[in-house]
Amino acid sequence: MQTRFKQATLSFALASSLLMSGIPAFANGAAESASAAVYNLNADLHVRVTGVFNEKTTGGVRLGAVIRMNNTSNRTLRIPDHELRVTTPDGYVYTLRPSSANERGIQPDAEVELTYMLVVNRSSQISLAELSFIDVNKDVYPKQETAIFTVPINAIVWNGKLDGFKDAALLKKWGESFTIPTLESPLSYRTISISKTNSNDGSDYVVKLLATNPSDRVETVPALELAGKTKTNVFTGQQVEANPVALEPGESKYVHFAIHTEMDAVLASLNVLTTETFTQREANGTVKASNFGIGKLNIDLAQDKPDVPSYAYNSPINFDAWNDTIHQDLEVALTELRVSDNADQGSKLAAAKFKFTNKGLTTLPIPALLTELQSPAGYDYTGIRQSEVQNSIAPGTSSVVNYTFALPVSETGETFTMKLQQQLSRDSGSRPAAAYKSTIASLQVTPQGKEDRHKISLYPYTLDIKDYLLTQITSPDQMIAISYTYKLQMFLELNRDPRVLTDPTFSKLKFELVDPVGSILGSQSFPFTGNDRLVNGKQTLTFQHLRTDQIQNNVSVNVYESILTPSGEVNRLITVLK
């Protein structure tokens, strides 16, 4: 950091000769932009203008500037009480006020960042042409003013959130790596993904950046702001991570930004801004802080459709290397994805089973992954996780978690993209605490074919209904004249993968009696574990207290997988016994 300033500054002798002429000392004598030029206050103190702010607000016009001052001497130096002024093209001059938080001195071979701001009480916009450091000598009368240096700033002024960038080098493509101009930070960034979710009060876009630290020391992601731009509006975003994100040397981490928009807003690009703070001490001693952003670059959101790899069932899923949800010893695989018709609900149902395997030596928690199923046409269907899940997995064992997706009857896609996501939560200030999602794995999957009674798969179980017999029984009843009962005798072959543990949270098998016109006479559900569980061999299921007043002929039995979710019981039709 200090080395860069030393390289950018001419020898002290030459710098001194240029000092009073207002000519900046450029690196290697090449002409640079105002934001890259280094100006000399004296032989030891050197200044670079890192940002200028000019925004029309309802309370007037806010003018601000941020400078970085470097001390190349071997002693602590006081920061001179020079005035920082901006000048308009038609000659109006405004003196910016220093922040009360500004440092008063600079340590040897160190630097500080100084913030200045002024609110001008006028209704029209101001144009800025130059920024000057002025030495004011008040010990003589009349006071003497000397311009130490003057910076042309027309090209670097940020005119508020609707402003654009004139320099093509500040326009980045999606997926292109970048650093933040004017920041003394070595961190580089790359856009990874952007996702959108809708709520009652608008939409939330979540942008995922990969931050990388190429240096040999710990670096912290600076205070950044992402703003989403449509053709006519700009929506300010904020970092999702509430705590500072620190990166070890050579480390990479994800950083997420949430942008809340109107419901129908379509973002075209992103502005990356640094967040600056100006503080002012009031007469009563309280300190008032004001924040303003200075635009640094723009990222185009146009991107090619990502290439999602085809997935082979039961193979380990490849997650993003820098996610903080999946433990390195935890292996996740998709074992089943089946789509069935839910005619009674006017929809289709997709049911997925994920196997979590502990490859380590200690017990691991089961992460609460979020899921989305995306159709070839781009429609996203949110997955619902089963209500109860085992909390943890013992070493060398596996557990299965179910997710269900409600699809419209019109959905005819033959392949889908399965998205696995982690939840990001934070207190979002004026809005209620919000939860955002970030995709950490995507798979292209083809749903498995329909099952018959001889080959029913509910991983880790496989079930063969070898034979069955449905009988009708009538008997007197104290409440009504005749009671009707049906008994279903089945000869089952039931097998389980011994490496996978199951408990009462696992789905059940539901049998539903249906008459010839589709009316449901009754149903019974049977678990795979615990009391009344399904077993190998002969199994008799009894259906009593049926909703019918006579014996029905041609009664069939619908066999469902029944999954309990926070939204209620969800049933996937497996086969029909007629």
Side-chain angles (χ1 to χ4, degrees):
M1 185 163 52
Q2 289 84 3
T3 303
R4 189 182 305 172
F5 267 101
K6 291 179 182 179
Q7 292 174 341
T9 308
L10 294 175
S11 67
F12 292 162
L14 180 56
S16 298
S17 67
L18 297 174
L19 177 61
M20 300 310 295
S21 65
I23 302 175
F26 293 115
N28 303 321
E32 298 184 0
S33 68
S35 62
V38 177
Y39 295 82
N40 301 309
L41 283 179
N42 52 47
D44 298 319
L45 294 178
H46 316 285
V47 173
R48 187 157 56 132
V49 180
T50 62
V52 181
F53 176 79
N54 176 14
E55 182 183 37
K56 177 71 178 67
T57 68
T58 55
V61 179
R62 289 201 304 170
L63 305 178
V66 180
I67 66 171
R68 188 169 290 119
M69 189 173 294
N70 178 246
N71 176 10
T72 57
S73 75
N74 59 3
R75 64 189 187 280
T76 299
L77 297 178
R78 184 180 66 85
I79 296 175
D81 295 326
H82 298 327
E83 291 186 357
L84 191 65
R85 299 177 182 176
V86 290
T87 306
T88 68
D90 47 1
Y92 289 93
V93 179
Y94 298 96
T95 300
L96 306 184
R97 297 172 181 171
S99 171
S100 62
N102 283 353
E103 298 286 348
R104 300 293 187 266
I106 313 179
Q107 299 292 327
D109 197 27
E111 67 178 12
V112 295
E113 193 166 81
L114 307 175
T115 305
Y116 298 79
M117 198 175 78
L118 177 70
V119 177
V120 182
N121 186 17
R122 57 180 285 176
S123 58
S124 58
Q125 182 67 57
I126 297 175
S127 296
L128 299 180
E130 294 178 336
L131 179 147
S132 302
F133 243 105
I134 307 297
D135 177 22
V136 181
N137 185 357
K138 298 180 181 180
D139 294 333
V140 297
Y141 183 84
K143 64 182 180 181
Q144 293 181 350
E145 297 183 352
T146 304
I148 305 301
F149 60 78
T150 297
V151 184
I153 57 174
N154 178 61
I156 66 170
V157 174
W158 180 250
N159 293 304
K161 63 181 184 178
L162 293 175
D163 199 8
F165 294 90
K166 307 174 183 67
D167 187 350
L170 302 180
L171 304 177
K172 304 297 180 179
K173 296 180 180 179
W174 181 265
E176 180 180 358
S177 294
F178 60 89
T179 56
I180 308 298
T182 74
L183 284 188
E184 292 298 305
S185 171
L187 298 182
S188 65
Y189 306 85
R190 182 164 58 89
T191 46
I192 300 296
S193 65
I194 181 170
S195 58
K196 178 184 179 182
T197 56
N198 296 319
S199 61
N200 292 331
D201 62 344
S203 299
D204 288 300
Y205 286 86
V206 176
V207 182
K208 179 163 66 175
L209 302 181
L210 180 65
T212 301
N213 180 11
S215 73
D216 58 359
R217 63 183 182 183
V218 177
E219 294 286 345
T220 301
V221 174
L224 299 177
E225 179 183 301
L226 251 64
K229 294 188 67 175
T230 67
K231 292 182 178 180
T232 59
N233 206 349
V234 176
F235 300 92
T236 301
Q238 60 182 340
Q239 185 174 316
V240 175
E241 288 78 12
N243 298 321
V245 178
L247 291 87
E248 297 290 334
E251 186 180 18
S252 296
K253 284 185 180 179
Y254 288 129
V255 186
H256 302 84
F257 291 85
I259 303 171
H260 186 70
T261 71
E262 298 169 351
M263 184 70 75
D264 57 350
V266 178
L267 300 186
S269 66
L270 302 171
N271 282 341
V272 180
L273 306 94
T274 56
T275 302
E276 312 296 342
T277 300
F278 176 86
T279 60
Q280 181 176 346
R281 188 172 296 278
E282 305 290 341
N284 60 5
T286 61
V287 177
K288 180 181 178 181
S290 301
N291 294 328
F292 59 93
I294 296 181
K296 298 299 179 180
L297 50 86
N298 177 268
I299 302 171
D300 191 353
L301 290 183
Q303 55 182 297
D304 296 330
K305 187 176 180 180
D307 184 18
V308 180
S310 297
Y311 178 75
Y313 285 98
N314 289 300
S315 61
I317 294 173
N318 293 320
F319 289 90
D320 287 352
W322 299 278
N323 83 85
D324 55 4
T325 300
I326 304 301
H327 192 278
Q328 61 182 2
D329 292 331
L330 187 64
E331 182 180 279
V332 184
L334 177 63
T335 62
E336 291 183 15
L337 176 64
R338 299 184 187 276
V339 178
S340 60
D341 292 322
N342 269 15
D344 57 329
Q345 298 181 12
S347 64
K348 292 183 177 182
L349 177 74
K353 293 184 184 296
F354 289 91
K355 179 177 67 173
F356 295 80
T357 302
N358 185 350
K359 297 286 189 178
L361 302 176
T362 59
T363 299
L364 294 176
I366 297 179
L369 289 175
L370 306 176
T371 58
E372 276 187 356
L373 200 62
Q374 186 178 73
S375 72
Y379 297 104
D380 288 324
Y381 307 108
T382 300
I384 301 177
R385 191 178 189 231
Q386 67 185 63
S387 293
E388 296 184 7
V389 177
Q390 294 182 45
N391 292 326
S392 58
I393 319 173
T397 63
S398 300
S399 182
V400 173
V401 180
N402 293 285
Y403 289 81
T404 58
F405 307 80
L407 312 181
V409 175
S410 59
E411 180 56 70
T412 58
E414 297 182 356
T415 61
F416 294 86
T417 298
M418 176 71 74
K419 300 177 183 178
L420 301 182
Q421 302 164 324
Q422 68 181 65
Q423 181 169 293
L424 312 169
S425 299
R426 66 158 293 149
D427 183 355
S428 53
S430 58
R431 298 183 65 227
Y436 305 105
K437 299 182 292 186
S438 174
T439 300
I440 56 177
S442 295
L443 331 166
Q444 185 177 358
V445 292
T446 301
Q448 294 154 318
K450 293 184 178 181
E451 301 165 293
D452 61 36
R453 66 183 177 90
H454 293 295
K455 193 176 181 181
I456 299 173
S457 177
L458 292 87
Y459 189 84
Y461 294 96
T462 56
L463 179 65
D464 180 3
I465 304 178
K466 290 183 172 296
D467 201 1
Y468 65 93
L469 176 64
L470 183 65
T471 58
Q472 306 162 338
I473 301 173
T474 60
S475 59
D477 189 278
Q478 296 180 357
M479 302 298 296
I480 57 177
I482 298 177
S483 172
Y484 298 95
T485 300
Y486 283 80
K487 285 192 175 183
L488 176 65
Q489 285 187 333
M490 296 184 297
F491 295 88
L492 306 178
E493 183 178 315
L494 182 64
N495 296 294
R496 177 179 68 84
D497 185 339
R499 297 166 298 181
V500 181
L501 303 181
T502 56
D503 62 13
T505 65
F506 192 74
S507 55
K508 298 179 180 181
L509 213 58
K510 181 177 181 179
F511 297 84
E512 188 177 76
L513 292 183
V514 183
D515 69 11
V517 296
S519 298
I520 299 173
L521 305 180
S523 64
Q524 291 279 6
S525 296
F526 298 88
F528 287 90
T529 62
N531 298 329
D532 299 324
R533 67 181 182 275
L534 296 169
V535 296
N536 269 313
K538 183 180 178 181
Q539 186 99 32
T540 301
L541 313 182
T542 302
F543 300 86
Q544 296 177 317
H545 310 298
L546 302 183
R547 294 184 289 273
T548 182
D549 58 1
Q550 62 181 355
I551 287 290
Q552 298 279 352
N553 295 317
N554 299 321
V555 172
S556 59
V557 181
N558 291 341
V559 183
Y560 296 93
E561 177 187 12
S562 179
I563 303 170
L564 187 61
T565 74
S567 301
E569 185 182 84
V570 175
N571 298 309
R572 175 178 73 88
L573 181 62
I574 297 174
T575 188
V576 179
L577 307 179
K578 296 183 178 181

